[in-house]
Every structure is written in C-alpha cells, then in structure tokens.
Amino acid sequence: MSNPSTGTSRGAGSGRSGVRTAAAAVVAAGLALAGCSSSSAAKPAASSSVQGPLTIGISLSLTGDFSDSGKAAQRGYKLWAQTVNAAGGVLGRHVVLDIVDDTSSPTQVVTNYQNLITKNHVDLVFGPFSSLLTVPASQVAKRYGYAFLEPAGGGPAVFSQALHNLFFVQPAPVVQQGDVFADYILSLPAAERPTTAAYPALDDPFASPIAAEVRTRLEAAGIRTVYQQIYPAEATDLTSVVSAMAAKKPDLVVAGTQSADAYALVKAMVLLKWAPKMLYLSNGANDPLNFPTNVGAGHVNGIFSSGDWFPTATTSGNAAFVAAYTATYGGTGTSIDSTSAEAYSCGQLVQEVAAKTGKVDNATLISTLHSGSWPTLEGDLSWNSAGAANSSYVLVQWIGGKLLPVFPANRAQSTPVLGKLPWGG
Amino acid sequence: MHETIQAIILGLLTGGVYALMASGQTLIFGVLKVVNLAQGALVILAAYLSSSLFASFGIDPFLTVPIVAPAMFLLGVAVQWCLLRPLHRSDASQLSLLVTFAVALGIEGLLALVYKSDYRTMQPSYANDSWTVAGYQIGEVRLAACLLSLATLGALALLLNRTRFGRAVRATVQNPTAARLLGVESTRVAALGFGLGAATAAAAGAVYGMVYSFNPNSHYDLISRLLSIVILGGLGSLGGTVVAALAMGVLSALVGALVSPVWSDFSFFVVLLAVLLVRPRGLFGARLRGAL
C-alpha cells in the first residue's frame, strides 16, 4: 500500500523533509494570496437546479516525487467518474474531472486550486496526494467555502488546522494506524498476551508515532518495553538494530515502518535467524504485491500489519470497484494501489450526499457529511470537527501466503494465526 | 560480548560490499582525477539491469555480472568520451563534478520512468541465508560480496600493474604530458579507465540489489558513503578503499548495535574528519596513489 501521507520513497527522505519544512511557509503564502483575492471571484455552489456538467477540480502529483501515487489517485478518480457517468451522472449531471499537475510541489498545488476555483469555476474540488500538499490546498478550499474531500492527507498537520470543510477519506489519522493491533493484543486472554515488547521505528512522522501510540497502550496494560529505538531514514542496513533487539529477547516487535525499512528489518531477522513470537510492521508488510517480492515469499507468513483498504474487503461497492478497475486498467486486485480506492471513495461520498439530499453543492456536502455515517470502499466513515475520520484501520496478517484481514471481527476474513514465524527464532 | 562480535562480523561483511562499490569510484579518480558523482547511480542502474535479467529470465544475480558489465563499460566510455573529454582542461576537475552529477540525475530520471519508484530487491533463494559459525551468523551473499570485492580489486591491480594498458594508465596518472610525448593516447586511456570504473558497478549492483532494497533515488545515500570511503582511504588508492570500507562497516555496525543507529553514520564521519585533520590525503592517499 502506498503511504497515504508522505509518498513512498525513503531514498529521497531528506529532500522531502526539507520540502515539508517549507510547507508551513507555503501555507502562510497561500493564506496571504487567498487573502488578497476577491472571494466573489469564486462560485462555491452547484445545486441540482444548475444545468450542465458537474465539474470537479483536482490537483494531482502526476510528475515529481509523488507521481506514482498521484497517478494511482488519478486512476481512482477517473474510474469513479467513468462509473457514475455510465449510470447517468450525479443527479443527472455528467461528471467532468478537471485534473491538473502540481509536480509534487506544495507551491504549485496552491496555484492550481486557486485557478481551479477562481478561473475554471469548478463546482467541487477533491484533494491531492500527501499531507504535504493537502495542508496548503485545504486552506485554499476553505477560503472559498469549498468542501475538501481528500483521500491522502492523514498527517497531524492536516488535522491541527481544525478545518470544518475538510474530510479525510480514510478510516482514521495515520498515527492511529497501529491502534487496531493494540486492540487485538489487548483482546487476547492474558495467558496468550506477550509480556515483553520491542519498538524499532523509522525516524519519520508517519512511522515512529504509530509505534509510540501502540507502546503507550501496551505499557499501560503491563507489557514491558525491553527495547525501543528510532533509526534514521538513511539506515539501509538494519542488521545492527535487529542484533541489538534480539539480545533483549522480546516476545513482540512493533515496528513503525515505511516500505524499504520494513523489508530491511525482515531481511535482517532472517539473516540473523531470529524471530519474535509476534511481529507487527505498520507499513510495507501491508503491500500484497511488493512485500513478498522484497523479503521472499517464504518469509511473510505470520507477520501482522494494518491498512485502510484491501482488494478482498467487503465494504460498500468494493467488489464492483475491483472488477471495474481490473477491467479498465488490467492487472489483479492485489495490483491495485490503495490510493486509487481512497480517491474513488471521495466520489462515492458525493454520490451518496446527492442521493440523500437531492443537492450537490459545497455547503450541503459540508453540513451533510458532518452528520451520520457514510459507506465507502474504506468502510463506514464519519468525521470529527477537524476532518479526521472516527473509524479504525483493519488489522491484516499474512496467512498461507495471502494478506488477510483478521481484526476487528466485523471486517475479518480469517482468524489470526499465532505461531512461530517461518524463519529461525 | 556476543552482540559485539556479531556486530564486528556484520560490519566487516558490510564493509566488503561497500569496498566493491567504491572500487570503481577510486579507479576513476586515480585515472582521471574526476570525482565521479554518478558512481552511485551507476551501481543502482546495474542493480536494475541485474534485477530485470533475474526477474525476466531467471538468471542468477551473480551470473548477470558478465552480461551487465560490458554494457556498463560502454556506458562509462560514452560518458567520458561525449561529456567529460570536451571539458576545457583548466576547468575539467570542477566541471566534471557538475557533469557527473547531471549524469546521475539523468540515470535517476530514466530509471523512475521505466521502473517507477517502488522499492525492489532481488530475492534468489539464498539471498537472506546465513551460515552459523560458533553461534554467529555470516550472511552468504555478503561473504560472496567480500570475495567478489577482493577478486575485482585483485583483477584491477593486475590490470594496472601487469598490462600495457595498465602502464599507460599509470603513466597518464603520474605525468599526462610526458605520457603523451611517449605515445600514450591519454584520451583513449581516460575513456577506457572510466569504462572500467563503470563496469565494476555491474558486480556492485548485483550484490547491492540482493542485500538492500533500492529505488531510483537510492543513489543519493549511496554516493555520500562511497565518497566518504574513498576520501578516508585516500583518493585513488585501491588498498585504502578496502581499509576505509571495512572501517566504516565495523564502526557503523558497532555503534548501531551498542549505542544507537542514529549515531552510526555520524560516528564514521567524525572519524573521517579526524583523519583528514591529521592526514588531509586520507589514510593511504600519499603512499599508494602513484602505485595505482
């Protein structure tokens, strides 16, 4: 699964962090720019009485660092538009997507949404990829009273803005991704629970806080921490981390990871022939396509992870989505990037609000989505006042070479398997 | 104690991998006096080529080396002949930094276009296997990389010391003008030298692709380490490169295991700076450069 918040590449981590640091300045610049503009230039309204197509403006990273994920989001948005248009559109209006490239730049994304709203006069806007771009983009949307359904900005900076018009279309903020694993551990009978745990984590705002949240809860439940370590993004070789961790003999390892370091941790454990009784990796292991090819298909069984969407999910419209996606773009369910599902879900929400209210304007979207629960590919979503969804991620485990949802019970397709990991230990 | 010894073993093996990767960098500097900022990208390019051969045809990564090496050699010759040779002599050292960095960015862009940005690793059946010796784990691929590194460096030493081409290279290194007067075609030697340096990336890429996950951006981290190794060892010194790579590997592994991985790279740079303060040419720069 692609990281919904940061893009995917650790190799450019230092560069990205520099860009992230600049994000605050860009937000300020965006606000100043918006402040200088005339709010009357935009028309944040699109009701059922308006004739013509329903235009939706979207800025996506079609080039630059986030381009792979940006293109995945584009596929999701386009697939939804194609699907809804084939069914007659939204309230009879043909959906037209106005997609522009932001080159993964937090500066360009501000310009893009400014232009989409004030020059192109789009009826609605959907969000870009990554928290880095969502923060400044959402400020522009707020300025003009647009609802901001965004599929991939789940970092703390997004929700600290406390924007009433923002809706993160994933089950929960990214830092809560590991909570479902803590819930599972605490649901086990005392005799089956681990007694000691280790918490290695990548020095990344979308990795280490996940492990820290789980640690806080497990420590409160009496599970003793025997090792915790944050490793830098440049650390390509984690054998020394695993060697030190193994010396502490933890029952459980909860690792706050992205992709490459998740692979490196597993490879190091295999090389050192050491395995804990239970292993949870926040990211990397939740990618059904790339994880087995990077650590070896024989080394995946038993490993836990968590995520927001999976091809076999029984959520609203998922089977149809997977079928339409593979028919349109080829491949199989496992080759679908979760970002596509997240983007598609934004469209589902517009459809549902339109069906319920008979309207599809921004004010209606904002007020309506803040009440009740809304079924999407991501599960049933509702939001707090800052736009963070109130649901939880799904715990998954590699069982028999397949990545299966195992917890909570209402999303599970298999029972968790507790036993030795397939190497050493 | 077990943890310390295991860290030293892992460090030595990791150092062997880096020595293999840095040998081409050292050779190119020795021959051309060019700090090749594209060496990391060449290693990643070779890793991708090796990975493609492994994925598409099932060719063992080690067996891809003789296939990838000639391609990398030709690429290296082309880069030198087309991009570095035309540089004005008086500015060549400085401008070559920009040219090789541009080459690195070009390779990165091309790889991103062809392969996307997902991380990948080559996983032959033995990729993560290790031997247990007296309770310590010795990674098979890393040990093979050490041996490959020694073989590569040995072959380079033989080439430079026992062949007509090697004599021409050494003559060019010591005095380019005198070499030209004696009939050595220094531009041709330079192109072949750069090609050889690039060809070593084939072996390095195959090993790197099995040990680490990589994507088109991986060359940034890699080049900083390779430069550190060749500077510590002494620019242009093959022997110094090996010593520096092993030192880096052991120090990083020890600090990572016993202190914190946060400090493992930093500790190496502290040692690097300390050595350069005392010996600006690096550990073996003065003594061995002429012997390259």
Side-chain angles (χ1 to χ4, degrees):
Chain A
M1 304 286 150
S2 67
N3 184 314
S5 313
T6 64
T8 56
S9 117
R10 265 184 59 213
S14 56
R16 279 207 323 277
S17 62
V19 179
R20 277 189 203 121
T21 309
V26 173
V27 173
L31 282 169
L33 184 64
C36 294
S37 305
S38 166
S39 59
S40 63
K43 297 177 183 175
S47 72
S48 58
S49 61
V50 178
Q51 297 302 308
L54 179 72
T55 57
I56 301 175
I58 311 163
S59 177
L60 285 174
S61 303
L62 303 178
T63 55
D65 282 355
F66 305 151
S67 60
D68 285 353
S69 298
K71 288 171 184 169
Q74 184 185 36
R75 289 194 293 274
Y77 283 136
K78 283 188 167 179
L79 187 64
W80 170 72
Q82 173 190 311
T83 306
V84 75
N85 284 335
V90 175
L91 298 178
R93 297 173 65 184
H94 189 77
V95 172
V96 175
L97 300 182
D98 189 349
I99 297 177
V100 289
D101 182 12
D102 53 43
T103 69
S104 308
S105 157
T107 306
Q108 187 62 42
V109 80
V110 170
T111 304
N112 285 354
Y113 279 103
Q114 195 82 27
N115 288 340
L116 287 167
I117 294 172
T118 64
K119 291 183 178 174
N120 299 10
H121 301 294
V122 295
D123 297 309
L124 306 173
V125 291
F126 286 163
F129 181 82
S130 90
S131 295
L132 179 69
L133 304 193
T134 295
V135 169
S138 60
Q139 291 286 347
V140 178
K142 175 179 180 283
R143 168 66 183 161
Y144 294 106
Y146 275 63
F148 200 69
L149 280 70
E150 55 95 357
V158 174
F159 308 115
S160 65
Q161 301 176 107
L163 297 181
H164 191 65
N165 64 315
L166 184 145
F167 301 90
F168 178 46
V169 187
Q170 285 189 42
V174 172
V175 294
Q176 294 172 18
Q177 188 180 334
D179 288 7
V180 68
F181 182 68
D183 291 340
Y184 167 65
I185 293 294
L186 298 179
S187 75
L188 293 172
E192 291 181 25
R193 280 188 204 172
T195 58
T196 56
Y199 302 89
L202 175 68
D203 186 10
D204 181 292
F206 302 99
S208 56
I210 296 172
E213 285 243 344
V214 177
R215 178 168 58 81
T216 301
R217 294 190 57 196
L218 297 190
E219 282 180 347
I223 296 174
R224 190 162 54 89
T225 300
V226 294
Y227 178 89
Q228 65 180 91
Q229 188 61 258
I230 290 180
Y231 47 84
E234 310 82 65
T236 50
D237 191 337
L238 295 176
T239 46
S240 59
V241 170
V242 172
S243 175
M245 187 163 61
K248 305 295 183 186
K249 298 182 170 57
D251 292 336
L252 164 68
V253 171
V254 175
T257 54
Q258 293 288 4
S259 52
D261 60 311
Y263 309 150
L265 274 175
V266 174
K267 284 160 68 80
M269 287 183 192
V270 175
L271 187 143
L272 292 171
K273 295 179 180 167
W274 175 80
K277 290 176 183 168
M278 298 172 77
L279 172 61
Y280 168 84
L281 305 169
S282 63
N283 275 302
N286 54 9
D287 183 337
L289 192 63
N290 290 311
F291 188 61
T293 60
N294 275 279
V295 303
H299 300 135
V300 299
N301 284 338
I303 296 176
F304 287 97
S305 187
S306 51
D308 62 306
W309 175 86
F310 299 94
T312 56
T314 53
T315 50
S316 175
N318 194 53
F321 164 75
V322 172
Y325 186 101
T326 51
T328 304
Y329 301 115
T332 62
T334 55
S335 61
I336 300 174
D337 189 316
S338 62
T339 305
S340 297
E342 292 149 12
Y344 187 98
S345 298
C346 292
Q348 283 184 300
L349 290 167
V350 169
Q351 267 181 283
E352 288 162 18
V353 170
K356 180 176 182 180
T357 64
K359 293 191 283 187
V360 65
D361 61 274
N362 285 285
T364 301
L365 273 172
I366 294 169
S367 62
T368 309
L369 288 176
H370 271 297
S371 62
S373 177
W374 301 86
T376 70
L377 303 183
E378 300 283 306
D380 293 347
L381 300 182
S382 62
W383 294 268
N384 67 18
S385 58
N390 298 317
S391 187
S392 76
Y393 284 78
V394 179
L395 183 66
V396 289
Q397 189 182 25
W398 284 92
I399 300 171
K402 291 181 180 173
L403 189 62
L404 297 173
V406 294
F407 192 86
N410 63 345
R411 302 284 300 272
Q413 295 172 14
S414 180
T415 306
V417 175
L418 296 181
K420 284 182 70 173
L421 291 165
W423 65 86
Chain B
M1 187 50 128
H2 182 277
E3 200 178 341
T4 304
I5 294 173
Q6 181 67 69
I8 291 171
I9 293 170
L10 290 170
L12 285 170
L13 296 175
T14 302
V17 175
Y18 276 92
L20 180 60
M21 290 189 280
S23 59
Q25 179 87 328
T26 291
L27 178 68
I28 288 171
F29 183 83
V31 175
L32 300 174
K33 295 293 184 286
V34 165
V35 176
N36 178 21
L37 296 181
Q39 190 67 18
L42 290 171
V43 171
I44 299 302
L45 171 61
Y48 271 106
L49 294 176
S50 189
S51 169
S52 292
L53 290 169
F54 174 64
S56 301
F57 304 106
I59 301 174
D60 185 274
F62 282 111
L63 297 180
T64 64
V65 176
I67 302 170
V68 175
M72 298 301 294
F73 175 80
L74 291 175
L75 176 64
V77 170
V79 166
Q80 201 286 330
W81 196 261
C82 300
L83 302 176
L84 294 173
R85 187 177 58 93
L87 297 179
H88 193 276
R89 186 173 300 277
S90 61
D91 300 325
S93 295
Q94 292 89 342
L95 289 177
S96 62
L97 285 172
L98 294 176
V99 169
T100 55
F101 187 58
V103 170
L105 293 181
I107 291 172
E108 178 192 343
L110 193 65
L111 292 175
L113 198 65
V114 175
Y115 294 101
K116 312 298 180 197
S117 61
D118 284 340
Y119 281 92
R120 60 170 65 194
T121 320
M122 281 181 282
Q123 288 289 324
S125 58
Y126 54 83
N128 301 307
D129 289 353
S130 59
W131 288 298
T132 305
V133 178
Y136 299 102
Q137 305 304 324
I138 298 174
E140 292 177 15
V141 171
R142 293 176 196 231
L143 184 61
C146 283
L147 298 176
L148 194 56
S149 177
L150 289 175
T152 303
L153 293 169
L156 286 175
L158 278 176
L159 183 73
L160 293 169
N161 292 310
R162 305 281 184 203
T163 66
R164 185 180 176 80
F165 170 72
R167 282 197 293 277
V169 168
R170 284 184 289 130
T172 305
V173 169
Q174 287 170 13
N175 192 329
T177 307
R180 271 197 303 278
L181 289 172
L182 290 170
V184 174
E185 290 186 51
S186 56
T187 53
R188 194 171 149 200
V189 167
L192 293 175
F194 203 101
L196 270 179
T200 63
V207 171
Y208 189 90
M210 282 187 280
V211 175
Y212 303 111
S213 297
F214 59 94
N215 75 359
N217 292 327
S218 299
H219 72 99
Y220 292 110
D221 286 339
L222 193 51
I223 191 61
S224 68
R225 287 170 207 224
L226 298 187
L227 284 175
S228 305
I229 288 169
V230 296
I231 290 169
L232 178 62
L235 280 164
S237 165
L238 287 175
T241 296
V242 176
V243 173
L246 295 178
M248 185 208 74
V250 171
L251 187 61
S252 297
L254 277 175
V255 173
L258 304 179
V259 184
S260 163
V262 173
W263 300 110
S264 60
D265 280 352
F266 179 72
S267 60
F268 173 72
F269 283 104
V270 168
V271 172
L272 173 65
L273 290 172
V275 169
L276 292 181
L277 282 174
V278 179
R279 241 183 116 75
R281 290 187 172 190
L283 292 173
F284 298 98
R287 187 157 57 87
L288 292 183
R289 186 182 299 174
L292 177 73

